[in-house]
Amino acid sequence: MTRDAVQRLKRLAGDLWWSWQPDGPAFFADLDPTAWQRTGHNPVAMLIDAPAGRFDTLAPALEARLEALESALAAHLEACGRGTWHDRAGAPLDAPVAYFSAEFGIHESLPTYSGGLGVLAGDHLKSASDLDVPIIGIGLLYRQSFVQQVSDGTGRPIDHFEAHDFERLPVERVRDARGDEVRVMVEVGAAEVVCGVWRVRLGRVSLLLLDTDRPENPPELRTITARLEGADHRVRIRQALVLGLGGVRALAALGIEPSRFHLNEGHSAFLVLERARQALLARAAPDVATALEHGRARNVFTTHAPAGAGHDRHPADLVHEHLHRLAEVLGLDREALLSLGRWPGEHGHDAPFDLTLLALRSCARANGVSALHGSISRQTFASLWPDRPVEEVPITHVTNGVHAPSWQAAEWREALAPLFPPDAPLPTATDPRWTRVRGLDDATLWATRRRLKERLFALVEARGEERSRRLGHPHTPLGLDPDALTIGFAHRFAPYKRATLLFHDGDRLRGLLSTAPGPVQVLIAGKVRPADAEAHRTLEELFQQTRDPVARVVLVEGYDIALGRAMTQGVDVWLNTPRRPMEACGTSGMKAGMNGALHLSVLDGWWPEGCDGETGWAIGDTRAYESEAAQDAADAHALYGLLETEVLPLYYQRDDAGLPRGWLRRVKAALASTTPWFNSDRQVQDYLHHLYAPG
Ligand SMILES: *Cc1c(COP(=O)(O)O)cnc(C)c1O
């Protein structure tokens, strides 16, 4: 290897495309296993930390793998616009879709996400890259990320924030043709804030991130992009201004004129005002109403919020304080500005401003993220269309999917390869060739499941060891058993997610476990927002469960993309217990299904579409309950019944070869139905045909 070796490695590390290639993560892990672990799977940081000369010569096998990755990336970029899926789709976009989101979860090495919304945005961009759909992501680059640990003894969460050095992240400053940094200005109330612009490379597409932590800005403006989580109304309004106004201006600075503006949640809704301002300045519209109306045609809004929550309602005065200058340019007085984000009938001086309503009023197309969520959203927002029956409220749905190359273990991709022609995209869900999955060899399948489980347990053990080291305790190995039925639960600890439902009736649970045909282990991970007292109590309660001698419960710290991937790949059963119909979609169960884990879930979010009697089990039923307590009791009862009479017997029913044939039939059903359908390629295709398409 020559001296440009480090340059070559940097180039590969500088495009997160590597993170979803079959040999990408393995290549960097093998390059330096210790540094890979120490940096949290961050090749950019690995290369910065490496002593001079460390990578000047690579072993021939690594050199060959580097070359293979480099030429695959070159071929991927080269094929842009030539015979790709988007090329053949029939209604190609002639300019990119600008995809706005306050968070993007692409890889564990880029801490710009909190949970499901971010991971979904990341998966959307990756599929767009794979399919060659022109899209550009717009988000914020946060200086700090939220880390949560669990105290010893009580299980009380200890929250802290970790600051990042952007040089060590897979981002690069955007520069103009002269090599100068691109910066945009955004007015925040009476002040102006300077925003830096960063690019994340994702194969054929890019993500632009804005940040305000620059020396030109006064301290109170530098911290606008300090944190994704835990910001108050003032900071959230400011972040929305940077994202919406700054995002549109960054696109203009780069000469990009998007064909569509895709607003994900209300956070970016102010962009519609900036576009109206530009139209007025260009004299493309005579007044603000016309400018907004012209803009509508190109705007798409997706609500991802669980029913009855997540909508960003801000105090009226605070919104006016921050937007009065923009409103003046638009010719809007205080009332006219605020009325854009108010619920019908709320006209009081202090009636709050809801970004979701601004978005819904300013986008020609809108959707929810599962069939059920589409219907719930039509009810939630029906008052905006008072002269229409609920079923005609113009909010449709596109059911979410997950990015298979990122979430499905390489072992499954290998197992499926002989069934379908290699190098061709996987056939669509309705293709009869998917029935071939039933012919996969049971023993091989079972061995794969076990290998993934062992990999998960090794990660859980390593994190436990790290925790003991941090606390200065001697480490007692957890001794997880790969032959035991393992149930996984990893979700945000929002009250509607009911993380403690499994423990609703402790005696009943212990009773069924003690007469079960074999042992059961439960792995739980999750995220609590900073200063969320109710969720903190949930975590403490779960911690108490880990001390139960009968139920084997393990609480795993640090729920991030890496842990989410390992858990959805490694467990036998994926548990989801939202209080119906609160879940918008939920995507972790899709990740599990693609890895042959069976989904045990309330019929909420995507599950009514995914549950076909074979891919998992439905907890409880779909009726409305007189109280939350009654609903919780009924669902817990149904969950215990399923575990006792279906899940446990099926798992432990073995034939002479020691194989659970009935269970494996369901594993195959999950693989064959989840992989092609609940997949972000299908999701991006649906968006292109139904939401982005012109006309
Ligand atoms: C998939 C994923 C989520 C979303 O999962 P839900 O099913 O909505 O609970 C959240 N966080 C991470 C890290 C994920 O990978």
Side-chain angles (χ1 to χ4, degrees), residues 589-606:
M590 301 173 178
K591 301 166 191 168
M594 277 188 188
N595 287 287
L598 304 184
H599 198 213
L600 177 57
S601 170
V602 171
L603 277 172
D604 200 6
W606 73 286

Side-chain angles (χ1 to χ4, degrees), residues 44-328:
V44 171
M46 281 169 66
L47 292 166
I48 289 174
D49 294 345
R54 170 74 177 81
F55 296 122
D56 280 358
T57 48
L58 293 186
L62 278 174
E63 167 70 37
R65 287 165 70 187
L66 173 59
E67 264 176 40
L69 282 162
E70 285 174 325
S71 50
L73 176 57
H76 174 74
L77 297 176
E78 176 83 7
C80 198
R82 288 194 232 147
T84 58
W85 180 85
H86 178 255
D87 247 7
R88 292 178 277 110
L93 292 167
D94 49 9
V97 172
Y99 186 103
F100 282 75
S101 175
E103 50 175 303
F104 287 88
I106 294 155
H107 185 255
E108 53 267 31
S109 62
L110 185 59
T112 46
Y113 67 97
S114 160
L117 175 66
V119 171
L120 184 89
D123 282 1
H124 196 81
L125 295 189
K126 291 176 193 173
S127 275
S129 176
D130 294 346
L131 299 169
D132 196 24
V133 172
I135 198 162
I136 183 161
I138 314 284
L140 300 176
L141 182 58
Y142 302 97
R143 179 60 75 184
Q144 302 172 17
S145 58
F146 176 53
V147 186
Q148 192 159 55
Q149 290 160 348
V150 178
S151 79
D152 204 36
T154 60
R156 199 168 304 125
I158 307 166
D159 299 348
H160 61 96
F161 285 86
E162 197 180 314
H164 300 283
D165 175 356
F166 295 159
E167 302 300 321
R168 294 171 65 81
L169 298 181
V171 299
E172 62 192 42
R173 269 184 209 286
V174 177
R175 297 184 185 277
D176 62 18
R178 297 213 318 270
D180 294 331
E181 271 179 46
V182 172
R183 305 179 310 168
V184 294
M185 309 289 288
V186 172
E187 52 277 27
V188 172
E192 306 245 343
V193 65
V194 182
C195 310
V197 186
W198 303 79
R199 176 184 286 113
V200 181
R201 292 181 188 271
L202 301 164
R204 292 170 180 143
V205 310
S206 289
L207 163 62
L208 300 180
L209 299 174
L210 282 77
D211 96 296
T212 64
D213 190 7
R214 304 177 58 88
E216 305 95 306
N217 293 325
E220 76 276 12
L221 299 183
R222 285 186 76 150
T223 52
I224 292 176
T225 53
R227 298 171 175 185
L228 166 61
E229 289 145 311
D232 60 13
H233 281 292
R234 177 175 295 272
V235 172
R236 275 173 22 228
I237 291 169
R238 292 174 169 198
Q239 289 181 339
L241 284 167
V242 170
L243 179 62
L245 275 54
V248 171
R249 290 173 192 175
L251 289 166
L254 297 176
I256 297 168
E257 206 181 307
S259 58
R260 290 283 177 271
F261 292 81
H262 186 177
L263 289 65
N264 288 277
E265 288 295 45
H267 311 122
S268 52
F270 290 142
L271 79 83
V272 306
L273 302 179
E274 169 62 11
R275 292 189 58 217
R277 188 190 69 95
Q278 290 183 0
L280 288 180
L281 290 182
R283 300 189 189 284
D287 54 51
V288 66
T290 319
L292 285 171
E293 191 51 39
H294 284 176
R296 268 173 61 83
R298 284 204 272 163
N299 296 342
V300 174
F301 174 63
T302 302
T303 168
H304 300 258
H311 307 299
D312 247 331
R313 284 163 80 98
H314 296 300
D317 278 339
L318 213 48
V319 170
H320 184 244
E321 176 192 325
H322 281 92
L323 274 94
H324 65 93
R325 281 166 72 197
L326 178 60
E328 217 164 280

Side-chain angles (χ1 to χ4, degrees), residues 392-643:
E392 285 172 30
V393 165
I395 301 176
T396 179
H397 77 273
V398 171
T399 301
N400 285 341
V402 299
H403 186 243
S406 298
W407 296 104
Q408 189 171 46
E411 283 82 352
W412 297 122
R413 270 174 272 157
E414 279 161 32
L416 296 177
L419 306 186
F420 309 114
D423 305 330
L426 285 175
T428 53
T430 50
D431 193 300
R433 281 174 294 170
W434 280 103
T435 57
R436 293 181 191 173
V437 171
R438 287 194 213 132
L440 288 174
D441 175 56
D442 279 346
T444 315
L445 218 66
W446 193 234
T448 302
R449 293 265 348 129
R450 195 188 153 103
R451 188 152 67 241
L452 294 173
K453 219 187 222 183
E454 284 168 344
R455 200 184 292 160
L456 164 65
F457 292 174
L459 176 77
V460 170
E461 202 63 68
R463 289 203 178 188
E465 226 175 296
E466 207 177 287
R467 174 177 152 77
S468 299
R469 200 173 317 121
R470 194 179 67 234
L471 296 168
H473 291 172
H475 180 63
T476 326
L478 292 163
L480 291 164
D481 174 6
D483 292 318
L485 172 75
T486 305
I487 299 175
F489 180 102
H491 306 282
R492 192 157 56 80
F493 291 144
Y496 83 86
K497 293 271 197 182
R498 297 191 296 188
T500 55
L501 191 78
L502 179 62
F503 310 102
H504 188 85
D505 182 344
D507 291 339
R508 173 89 165 87
L509 179 65
R510 268 180 237 111
L512 88 86
L513 292 180
S514 56
T515 57
V520 176
Q521 300 167 142
V522 186
L523 294 187
I524 299 179
K527 208 158 188 175
V528 174
R529 293 206 166 129
D532 179 343
E534 186 166 357
H536 279 199
R537 275 194 300 280
T538 301
L539 197 54
E540 283 176 60
E541 198 181 324
L542 289 170
F543 183 81
Q544 296 311 321
Q545 298 297 338
T546 64
R547 308 185 149 187
D548 191 309
V550 181
R552 183 87 173 89
V553 179
V554 174
L555 195 57
V556 194
E557 278 185 345
Y559 181 38
D560 65 352
I561 287 179
L563 182 61
R565 192 171 51 231
M567 281 184 73
T568 51
Q569 290 179 356
V571 302
D572 297 300
V573 171
W574 191 253
L575 180 66
N576 194 18
T577 50
R579 194 176 279 130
R580 191 178 187 277
M582 296 286 288
E583 182 88 295
C585 179
T587 51
S588 54
M590 301 173 178
K591 301 166 191 168
M594 277 188 188
N595 287 287
L598 304 184
H599 198 213
L600 177 57
S601 170
V602 171
L603 277 172
D604 200 6
W606 73 286
W607 192 226
E609 296 165 69
C611 183
D612 64 0
E614 284 212 276
T615 51
W617 296 270
I619 302 170
D621 53 37
T622 57
R623 69 198 158 98
Y625 290 86
E626 64 274 18
S627 69
E628 289 186 347
Q631 185 171 8
D632 296 354
D635 286 345
H637 182 77
L639 170 58
Y640 298 137
L642 283 171
L643 285 172

